[in-house]
Amino acid sequence: MTNEELRAKLEEEIDVVKQELSDLGVEDIDPTATESDELADRMEAEEEHSSEKATLLARKNEIIAAVARMDAGTYGFCEECGEKIEADRLEANPAAATCKLHMA
Ligand SMILES: [Zn+2]
């Protein structure tokens, strides 16, 4: 699978996640605010209200981060050890930031 195909998968998935969030009544969050304290506070609050919303928001952030790594040219390398992430792991989870050895 090429990075373009993985990117298409990520963009498809983020649309699904956004739709699920809006179904749950969560308004869209500015993607540039992903690292802000505001979002962290917000995610804490969301977690209190609904673990489902928190899971979706976390997944959305993972996908945004993966697309950002594609733009930065660091996509597909483990954040822990810097080794290339296994192709089958990326196919199973295109937003993966770590290799199988370092997966959470
Ligand atoms: Zn690793």
Side-chain angles (χ1 to χ4, degrees), residues 33-67:
T34 49
E35 301 299 329
S36 76
D37 292 342
E38 201 182 316
L39 185 70
D41 289 348
R42 189 195 170 93
M43 285 193 61
E44 255 170 61
E46 292 292 347
E47 204 160 3
E48 280 171 31
H49 290 102
S50 157
S51 61
E52 193 184 356
K53 284 181 192 173
T55 303
L56 285 167
L57 284 171
R59 182 66 187 158
K60 188 179 157 190
N61 286 339
E62 270 176 28
I63 298 169
I64 288 168
V67 172

Side-chain angles (χ1 to χ4, degrees), residues 78-85 97-103:
C78 175
E79 283 187 343
E80 291 295 322
C81 65
E83 293 296 321
K84 228 171 177 296
I85 299 171
T98 54
C99 70
K100 284 180 185 170
L101 194 63
H102 297 109
M103 65 194 281

Side-chain angles (χ1 to χ4, degrees), residues 86-97:
E86 296 84 352
D88 59 337
R89 169 144 165 79
L90 285 177
E91 279 184 38
N93 176 14

